[in-house]
Amino acid sequence: MADLGYAHAIAAAAPEQFLRLERDAGHSSRFTDVDQVLANLIAAALAGAKIADIKPGPPSDKNNDTITLTPLNAADRAYVNTTFSLTAQQARGAWSLPEQGSLKAGIMNLPAYIRHDPWYAITRSADDVARVQFASTADAVAAWSLLIPLFERLMAPVHTRAAGSTDTPEEQTATWEAITNSFDRLGLNTRATLSVLTYRGGWSSLDRTGQARARAGLLDVLAGSDLQQLAARYRAERVQALAAATGKKAKAGTPLARKVLTRSLQPVLSAYFAGDWLAFLDYLGMPPNPNEEVVTALPTPKLYVSGAAKAATVAADHGLDVDDVHAMLAAFMGQDTSVSAVDKRVEVMSRWWTQFDALHAKQTAGMPALWGLREEGGIFVGRRNRHVEPIYRTLLTTDLVADVDQLWDGIVLPRWPETIVSEPYPHRLMAETFGPAVKFWEGVALTAWYICEGPYSRTSLEGLRNYHQRDLRALEEAGTPIHQSLFEELANAEQYLGPAQEIGSESYETDIAEVEGVRLSLRISSGGQRRDGFEILRDIVTRHRQGWTRRYLGEYLQFRWNNELSTVARELHRLIAVRGKPPTFRQFAKLAAEAANHWFNGDLSKLYTTIGEKAPAAPRRVDLLPTRADEFVNAVYLALGGQYYDDELHTSDPKAVDRYREIARLAARGIYYLQIAEATGQRPEPAQFGIKEYEWNWAGGIDRGWPVFEQAIDQAIGGFPSLLRDRPQ
C-alpha cells in the first residue's frame, strides 16, 4: 500500500494548515516561481494593465490565434517558456493535454477594462476570445491552466452581478455567500466591499457611475491584498483537489494517472507540476504504480506505402523471386496487388493534374469557362434547366474519370466504422485529397478568365494574393511555395488588357401589382463586363503553374499523404499513451475517417495496416446507389413533385420557388438517407436523418412528407433492397 499520510493530511487541511504542512514537508520552494509569476500578473492586471494580447489568425483558419502574456518580466518570461511549453509538458508525459482550444481570455483583461472603459468592460471582455493551438506559445497553456481559472474566481462578483439572475431569493443569497466564502479562503478581506454587489446589498439603488465605482473599489481592495499569499492559497485549493482525487483512487495502491486526471484536474497538474505526474507523486510521497508507463516521446510514425517500388531490391538482397515479394506485399496490405492504395491515388492525381494543366493552358477567349473542372460537391436541381453533365466528364479522358470514380467512391462515417458507404462526389473527394494546390491554381486561372471574359470576378488581379492567403500559407507549410513574382506579373499585365466592354444583358419584365388601374411591373436585368487580352494572363499563369509543377508536384503529393497519415499515427500513439490502451474502432474512426476517405476509399483497416497497426475489424462495403449521385438527386427531386423553373418565377410565383427549393434541398439530402441505410442495414429513423432540419411545407407537414420522401427514394433506386431490414415497429 502507498503511504497516504501526507496526501490525506493536505486533502483535509484548511488553507493555512495546508501551506504549513507543505512547508514542513520541504515542498514550498518548488512553488516559489509559479506563485511569484501569478502574483506579478495579478498585480499588473489590477493596476489596469491588459495582460493578454490576442493576435487573431486569418478568418478562414480555425484555432490559429496567438495569445501573449505581455507584462512578464525577463525572469517570469523564461519561467513560463520553460514550464508551460506544450512540447515540454508532453515530454514529461502530459499527453492528455488538449492541443487546441478556445480560451475566454477576456476574463484576464476585465480588470483593465474596468479601469479604463468601465461602461463597456463586460462587453469588451467577452470579445477577447483566443482560438489557439496550444503548441503556438507557452502562454496559451499558462493562460488555460493557471490564469483563467484564477481570474474567473476573482471576477466572479463582477460577472455574477452583470449577468443578472432569475433564481429565487434563497438561491441568489446562496450564490453570493459562496462567492464571499471563496474570497475568505483566499485570505481576502473583501466582505465589506462585496456587500454592495451581493443580493439585496443596494446595487440597484446605485446609478451607473456608482456601479462603476463599486467595481473599481473591488479591484482596489484586491490590489491592496497580499498577492503572494493569494497565489499560494489559490494553489493550495487546486492542489488539494488533485491530492484528494488521488487519495480516493488509491484504495489498492498508487493509482494510474489516467484514473485520476479528469478534465477539470488536468490543468492543475499542468499549472503546478509542469504536467509531470511523477513529480506530483513525489510531492505526495507516493511511489509510482508499477503499471504506470510515462511516455516521454511518441514513436516516430512508420508508414508502409511504397513497398512495390523496392520489391526488386528486396528480392535481390534476400535471394527471393521478385514475384514472390510482390505477392507478400499484396498479402500484407490485404489486396490483390503490391501497389499500395496511396500510390494508386498519387498516380491518378498526377494524371489528373497533367490534364487539368493542359486544358487551362490551351483555353482561349470565346471558349466555355472551365469552372467545374474541379468538382466542389453539392447538387443543385430545379432552377433554369434540367441536369447538365459536369464538364469534367466531357473534358477529362474516359479512363481518368473512371479511375477517380472507382478510387474515391466510398467513405466511412465515423458513427458506423464497420461499413464503407457510398461517396456521392468522388471527384470532389479527389480534389479535397489533392488539397490547396489545385484550389489555388484553379482559382488563379478562373480569376484571369472571368476578369477578361466576364461577367465578373470574385477578386481582382491585385487582390489575388490576399484572396488565396490560406492556400498560399498551406503550400508554404508543405515546402512547395508559390513564387511571389506570379502576383507581380499579373498585376502589371492588367495595363495591357483592353478597355472594359459591356456584355449584352438579359432582362425580363413581370407584372407585380395593379393599383387603381395603374400596372406596376418589375424589370430584372443581368449583365457584366469583359476585356480583351485573356491570353496574356493565361500565359503568365501557365508558365508559373508549369514551373511549380516541375519543381514541386511530386514533393507536394508526397507531403499530402505523408503528413495526413503521420498525423493519424501520431494521434493514435498519443491516445494510447493517455489511456494505456488502443482506442475502440469508433474512437479511431473519429480521428482517422478523413484520411481513410482520402487515401483508402473509406477502409479503416487498410489505414491501420499502412501505419503499422493491427485493425480490430474489417469493414464491409455496401452500395445502394444505382446511378451517379447527380442522377439520383434529380430523380428524387422529380419524384417529389419538383419542377424546373426560370428566373421569372421568382416574381410571378415566389411561393412556388420556395416550394421547389425545399424539395431540391431535401432531394440532395437523399444521399445521406442512403448512406445511413448502407451503414445500418435498415431504413433510417427520422431522427437519424435529421428530419427537423428540413422544411416540409411542400407536403403539408412532416407526417405527410416523410412517407412521400421515402417513396421517392424507393422509386429513384428502383425499390428498396430486400437485404435491408425494415425499421422496427
Side-chain angles (χ1 to χ4, degrees), residues 331-455:
F332 172 74
M333 292 183 288
Q335 54 191 38
D336 56 5
T337 175
S338 62
V339 179
S340 72
V342 172
D343 284 339
K344 288 179 183 178
R345 283 157 181 80
V346 168
E347 189 272 335
V348 170
M349 287 190 289
S350 298
R351 286 164 47 210
W352 185 93
W353 182 260
T354 299
Q355 296 188 27
F356 167 86
D357 173 71
L359 288 166
H360 278 285
K362 69 181 183 181
Q363 190 179 25
T364 59
M367 293 174 63
L370 291 177
W371 181 78
L373 190 57
R374 173 181 69 92
E375 186 178 44
E376 297 184 44
I379 298 172
F380 305 96
V381 291
R383 183 173 177 265
R384 286 187 177 271
N385 49 41
R386 295 180 180 272
H387 169 68
V388 177
E389 186 82 353
I391 68 166
Y392 59 80
R393 293 195 176 275
T394 57
L395 295 181
L396 300 177
T397 59
T398 304
D399 63 320
L400 178 59
V401 171
D403 285 343
V404 174
D405 284 339
Q406 178 186 7
L407 293 179
W408 281 277
D409 76 336
I411 61 170
V412 59
L413 302 176
R415 186 175 177 182
W416 298 286
E418 298 85 2
T419 307
I420 301 169
V421 303
S422 299
E423 163 53 48
Y425 314 113
H427 291 256
R428 178 206 61 81
L429 186 56
M430 184 278 298
E432 181 183 294
T433 306
F434 207 117
V438 66
K439 187 177 178 183
F440 168 77
W441 284 113
E442 182 195 53
V444 172
L446 290 179
T447 295
W449 172 265
Y450 284 111
I451 281 177
C452 292
E453 294 301 300

Side-chain angles (χ1 to χ4, degrees), residues 514-535:
E514 184 171 326
V515 180
E516 296 180 353
V518 177
R519 183 172 64 88
L520 302 179
S521 62
L522 177 68
R523 177 177 292 275
I524 299 176
S525 303
S526 63
Q529 293 181 332
R530 70 170 304 278
R531 303 175 70 178
D532 290 334
F534 165 70
E535 287 78 6

Side-chain angles (χ1 to χ4, degrees), residues 632 635-636 639-640 707-717:
F632 167 78
V636 173
L640 289 174
V708 174
F709 174 60
E710 291 196 305
Q711 291 169 10
I713 288 179
D714 287 2
Q715 180 178 331
I717 65 175

Side-chain angles (χ1 to χ4, degrees), residues 10-323:
I10 62 172
E16 301 92 337
Q17 185 184 9
F18 179 102
L19 295 174
R20 185 171 60 253
L21 290 169
E22 187 178 75
R23 185 171 57 252
D24 293 344
H27 293 314
S28 297
S29 60
R30 76 163 72 204
F31 302 111
T32 301
D33 290 336
V34 68
D35 288 349
Q36 187 62 60
V37 168
L38 189 55
N40 291 346
L41 287 171
I42 297 170
L46 296 176
K50 186 178 176 183
I51 66 172
D53 178 60
I54 301 170
K55 291 271 190 305
S60 57
D61 282 6
K62 293 182 179 179
N63 301 312
N64 208 25
D65 299 339
T66 302
I67 185 169
T68 304
L69 303 175
T70 54
L72 294 176
N73 58 39
D76 290 351
R77 166 53 62 196
Y79 174 79
V80 168
N81 288 346
T82 301
T83 306
F84 291 98
S85 161
L86 179 65
T87 54
Q89 295 215 358
Q90 288 176 334
R92 302 180 190 106
W95 297 102
S96 61
L97 296 184
E99 297 195 341
Q100 62 185 27
S102 180
L103 301 179
K104 296 181 179 179
I107 195 68
M108 297 184 287
N109 292 331
L110 182 54
Y113 293 138
I114 291 173
R115 294 288 193 196
H116 303 297
D117 193 6
W119 310 134
Y120 303 101
I122 297 294
T123 301
R124 293 191 62 184
S125 170
D127 290 340
D128 284 350
V129 177
R131 296 170 179 84
V132 300
Q133 297 289 336
F134 278 20
S136 61
T137 63
D139 300 35
V141 179
W144 168 76
S145 64
L146 181 66
L147 294 164
I148 291 176
L150 173 61
F151 277 91
E152 286 176 342
R153 177 90 163 267
L154 295 179
M155 294 295 101
V158 176
H159 259 291
T160 302
R161 177 47 67 190
S165 176
T166 58
D167 291 344
T168 65
E170 293 78 11
E171 290 170 333
Q172 293 187 60
T173 299
T175 295
W176 282 102
E177 187 62 25
I179 291 173
T180 303
N181 289 339
S182 76
F183 275 52
D184 290 344
R185 290 194 300 274
L186 293 177
L188 299 171
N189 185 18
T190 54
R191 281 192 171 263
T193 307
L194 285 175
S195 63
V196 71
L197 287 93
T198 59
Y199 179 63
R200 291 181 175 173
W203 180 261
S204 60
S205 65
L206 299 177
D207 60 14
R208 198 178 184 191
T209 301
Q211 291 177 352
R213 287 174 179 165
R215 287 191 288 262
L218 174 61
L219 301 188
D220 292 338
V221 172
L222 293 175
S225 303
D226 184 342
L227 300 183
Q228 190 83 25
Q229 184 70 4
L230 186 159
R233 282 173 167 258
Y234 177 67
R235 170 176 54 77
E237 280 197 12
R238 299 188 75 196
V239 173
Q240 187 176 52
L242 182 57
T246 305
K248 287 182 181 179
K249 296 288 185 178
K251 295 178 181 178
T254 303
L256 296 170
R258 63 177 178 271
K259 299 292 186 180
V260 176
L261 294 176
T262 61
R263 183 172 297 181
S264 63
L265 292 177
Q266 287 171 358
V268 181
L269 188 72
S270 175
Y272 297 110
F273 298 92
D276 191 336
W277 174 252
L278 296 185
F280 172 63
L281 293 181
D282 178 68
Y283 167 81
L284 293 182
M286 297 174 66
N289 187 303
N291 296 318
E292 187 76 70
E293 182 180 358
V294 177
V295 179
T296 59
L298 299 180
T300 300
K302 185 174 182 180
L303 306 178
Y304 298 88
V305 170
S306 301
K310 304 174 184 176
T313 302
V314 172
D317 290 345
H318 295 275
L320 300 172
D321 186 281
V322 68
D323 291 338

